[in-house]
Amino acid sequence: MLKLKILFMLFFAFGTALFAQKLTINGKIDKELKVDSFLFRYATNFVDQENLYGKGEEVRVKVKHGRFQIDLDNLPATFYAFIRLPKNYSKDISDDYRLIGNSGNFLMLKADNPMEMQLYQHGVSFSGGQKSSLDCQLELFRLKKKLSDRLISQKNSFGSFDEKTTEKQINDYLSAYKSINLNACLEAKKLVTSYAQLLDTMTANTHYYDFIGRTKWDEINHINWLVDFSPDNVRSYVARYYNKYYTDEQSYGDPKSYRGTSNEYPKFLAYKAFTDLMQTMAPLGRRIKPNVALADLLISERYHGALYDQVAFSSLLIRGTKEYLDDMYLTSLMGNMKNDDFRQYVSDLRKKRTTRAQSFQFKLEDENGKMVTNADLKGKVVLLDFWFTGCRGCLALHKNMKPIKEHFKNNPNFKYVSISIDKKRENWLNSLQKGEYTDKFDVKLWTGGQNDKHPIIRYYEIGSYPTMILISKNDDVVAMNPPNPYTEKNKNALIKMISEALEE
């Protein structure tokens, strides 16, 4: 099976092994909220934590007479989870209900420490041994909500940006934006400090750096959005501001004070390294996206020891699902890392990349209702393209793939297979009609409404979209995430890879 076997489990994001511990969560929900069940998803290792929405363990919790109980086992000492409650837009419902159950906030929980949770119309409360930790996290969620409201208000006060926008307007907007985020981080530090007598040092440090990581990730992600989707003049102004005030910024938490137990902080540092490289080239008019190997060079310059391991590993998990990983990068990463668990993961990944595995044996419906299997594509080189309606990257890939398809259009031994993970069949069929994601001669398949829960998604461990997979004539995997042809160099590299597979 292609799925990488994770034999190690990590304490928080990084650290100790699985101790097969248990946790019971008892709870009460006001009957007025009309909740008869909800989703509880949790991750027991950092690999799953990177994409907790699509991976991890999932439990459908039944609520009877306003009460529920969740029994979990095989847990590490500490893990992350989120709750998805039914959406409720009533003005009578408190923000706490949405912060805990609809916003995607992750809760850090401890095994072997029973807890209770009460959800009321006008608030959420906790009891048990984890009360102080959960109270602190809820207050940080409230602070993040206030930050979001402040940023929306600030954006509305500045209005939209266009070709007439001046550099001063952009500088004023970004200065105010940066200041609001910085003040929120300072508020978070005060808030966590107020719990100093109630939380152990490690837990308090984790809560603080989780907040810093999430907040700063969102901050630079907004800047990347401005660069990607703004007129050329605005893109240039934003990039100049970023390179002046962000590239060497040290106001995002002191790495020396970081205790190495946050899931979010290393992810932010990895994302920032990637963004620093990207924005450095933006003023030159080159909209490049550096690969994970180049980002690792910068990460190795900035961080050392355990922090390097964490940031480099985060970079691998964030970017590694989106691009082709060559053997040179994986070998270098193994040589630089000291953490034995991370090295083993990379070693296993390298073996999977260098030793071809059999492709997933699928049976999927096409647009006419016919079931298509691997046998129907026997003896052909197949490029799988996984996408969903509304995916902007999928739209871009469809456009970028046109010259590739044109290059191989007269070769009967090459097939382009489009696989949609849309939940609703009508959405998939509507997208096919519009031709925004597929072309006439593609083999167009659908995962039957199973979305990212379909076995083919699990088998290939797909965590982002679009994802391409190149399959050989012998029905084994040639490459996960072959080069995305958004540049001339990548286009030629993909053509070469497909041509070599056709010659085998």
Side-chain angles (χ1 to χ4, degrees):
M1 183 177 179
L2 185 67
K3 181 176 175 63
L4 184 65
K5 301 297 183 182
I6 310 296
L7 299 179
F8 62 93
M9 306 299 276
L10 305 177
F11 173 67
F12 287 10
F14 315 93
T16 60
L18 176 68
F19 293 104
Q21 300 184 63
K22 299 181 179 182
L23 175 65
T24 296
I25 304 173
N26 289 301
K28 179 180 178 182
I29 300 181
D30 264 0
K31 293 181 180 179
E32 290 80 2
L33 294 173
K34 299 179 180 179
V35 176
D36 55 14
S37 69
F38 62 89
L39 180 70
F40 183 89
R41 184 182 286 271
Y42 62 102
T44 55
N45 63 72
F46 186 59
V47 177
D48 285 352
Q49 173 61 29
E50 283 291 338
N51 183 19
L52 187 50
Y53 294 106
K55 296 185 178 181
E57 303 295 328
E58 182 176 294
V59 178
R60 172 60 64 176
V61 182
K62 298 292 185 180
V63 179
K64 295 182 179 180
H65 308 296
R67 303 197 67 87
F68 65 87
Q69 180 172 311
I70 308 172
D71 294 308
L72 307 173
D73 55 19
N74 294 323
L75 299 172
T78 304
F79 64 100
Y80 284 81
F82 80 87
I83 299 168
R84 182 171 292 162
L85 295 164
K87 291 183 179 180
N88 192 321
Y89 300 104
S90 171
K91 294 181 180 179
D92 296 328
I93 305 299
S94 74
D95 282 342
D96 286 355
Y97 176 93
R98 300 180 180 94
L99 290 174
I100 290 294
N102 294 141
S103 62
N105 287 318
F106 294 168
L107 286 167
M108 191 196 85
L109 303 175
K110 295 184 178 182
D112 284 346
N113 196 346
M115 57 170 284
E116 295 183 2
M117 176 170 42
Q118 297 82 36
L119 285 84
Y120 307 105
Q121 272 191 302
H122 304 295
V124 176
S125 65
F126 304 100
S127 57
Q130 303 190 55
K131 173 178 169 54
S132 297
S133 173
L134 292 166
D135 284 345
C136 180
Q137 291 180 76
L138 179 56
E139 287 203 58
L140 289 170
F141 295 162
R142 291 168 181 161
L143 176 58
K144 194 72 169 64
K145 173 64 167 56
K146 290 179 182 178
L147 169 61
S148 177
D149 292 342
R150 292 168 189 164
L151 292 173
I152 291 172
S153 176
Q154 182 242 4
K155 177 66 175 70
N156 291 337
S157 69
F158 276 84
S160 59
F161 303 129
D162 55 29
E163 290 81 359
K164 296 180 180 180
T165 300
T166 67
E167 187 162 12
K168 183 180 184 304
Q169 288 175 304
I170 291 298
N171 288 348
D172 289 346
Y173 170 75
L174 291 177
S175 293
Y177 179 79
K178 191 171 190 293
S179 177
I180 292 171
N181 279 283
L182 178 58
N183 287 335
C185 291
L186 294 174
E187 288 181 56
K189 190 170 186 178
K190 290 180 181 177
L191 193 158
V192 174
T193 301
S194 71
Y195 279 82
Q197 303 301 317
L198 301 172
L199 300 175
D200 62 83
T201 303
M202 192 71 77
T203 299
N205 187 269
T206 300
H207 292 339
Y208 171 64
Y209 277 93
D210 274 348
F211 182 90
I212 293 293
R214 283 190 292 264
T215 299
K216 300 301 290 186
W217 173 292
D218 290 344
E219 183 177 349
I220 62 172
N221 193 55
H222 176 62
I223 291 174
N224 282 331
W225 186 89
L226 288 173
V227 171
D228 285 342
F229 299 102
S230 296
D232 289 343
N233 61 315
V234 174
R235 182 182 303 122
S236 178
Y237 302 153
V238 172
R240 274 203 288 269
Y241 185 93
Y242 184 93
N243 288 322
K244 184 175 182 179
Y245 295 105
Y246 277 91
T247 301
D248 298 317
E249 181 196 29
Q250 296 297 320
S251 61
Y252 46 79
D254 181 6
K256 294 180 181 178
S257 300
Y258 170 59
R259 299 297 182 91
T261 55
S262 167
N263 273 312
E264 304 295 337
Y265 189 59
K267 288 196 291 188
F268 155 65
L269 295 180
Y271 186 41
K272 187 173 186 300
F274 172 82
T275 301
D276 288 352
L277 290 168
M278 187 166 59
Q279 299 306 340
T280 297
M281 302 302 295
L284 303 177
R286 299 178 62 186
R287 300 178 65 187
I288 67 164
K289 291 190 175 182
N291 61 31
V292 68
L294 184 59
D296 187 62
L297 291 176
L298 181 58
I299 291 168
S300 65
E301 289 179 4
R302 290 181 171 176
Y303 312 110
H304 304 92
L307 185 55
Y308 164 77
D309 284 2
Q310 296 172 13
V311 179
F313 193 65
S314 289
S315 179
L316 169 66
L317 295 179
I318 294 167
R319 301 299 308 171
T321 61
K322 301 177 181 178
E323 63 183 75
Y324 179 68
L325 302 177
D326 62 38
D327 190 58
M328 184 179 297
Y329 161 68
L330 294 174
T331 302
S332 173
L333 194 61
M334 285 176 57
N336 292 335
M337 284 181 167
K338 306 301 180 188
N339 184 293
D340 290 337
D341 289 331
F342 295 169
R343 284 169 54 84
Q344 185 61 53
Y345 180 94
V346 177
S347 176
D348 291 345
L349 179 62
R350 180 172 173 266
K351 290 176 183 177
K352 291 292 184 182
R353 300 286 172 144
T354 56
T355 304
R356 289 188 179 181
Q358 185 183 34
S359 71
F360 180 81
Q361 302 303 293
F362 63 80
K363 185 177 181 181
L364 298 172
E365 177 186 352
D366 71 7
E367 71 271 33
N368 298 313
K370 176 186 174 182
M371 302 308 292
V372 177
T373 70
N374 303 67
D376 298 309
L377 303 168
K378 185 178 180 181
K380 302 185 186 300
V381 172
V382 176
L383 187 58
L384 303 177
D385 168 20
F386 294 85
W387 62 278
F388 64 88
T389 299
C391 167
R392 288 192 304 230
C394 304
L395 290 171
L397 178 64
H398 173 240
K399 179 180 179 181
N400 295 333
M401 281 302 303
K402 288 187 179 297
I404 307 296
K405 295 177 183 179
E406 179 68 20
H407 185 90
F408 293 103
K409 69 177 183 179
N410 295 321
N411 193 322
N413 293 320
F414 174 74
K415 286 292 183 181
Y416 192 86
V417 178
S418 157
I419 301 179
S420 169
I421 67 162
D422 283 344
K423 286 186 177 181
K424 295 183 178 180
R425 191 173 190 274
E426 54 266 35
N427 291 348
W428 169 52
L429 293 177
N430 287 338
S431 290
L432 295 187
Q433 273 193 330
K434 293 177 181 178
E436 295 177 329
Y437 301 91
T438 59
D439 291 314
K440 181 179 179 180
F441 295 106
D442 295 349
V443 177
K444 297 175 277 287
L445 306 178
W446 179 52
T447 55
Q450 294 187 54
N451 198 245
D452 57 4
K453 306 301 187 300
H454 193 281
I456 194 171
I457 305 300
R458 297 285 186 166
Y459 184 84
Y460 289 124
E461 292 193 304
I462 297 173
S464 63
Y465 299 87
T467 285
M468 293 191 296
I469 302 172
L470 185 62
I471 308 297
S472 76
K473 294 178 181 178
N474 296 322
D475 202 24
D476 53 25
V477 178
V478 176
M480 291 284 298
N481 301 301
N484 184 325
Y486 71 95
T487 66
E488 190 69 19
K489 178 181 178 182
N490 280 11
K491 182 185 79 172
N492 293 333
L494 181 57
I495 289 175
K496 180 182 179 183
M497 188 176 287
I498 295 172
S499 298
E500 289 175 349
L502 286 166
E503 291 172 2
E504 291 181 353

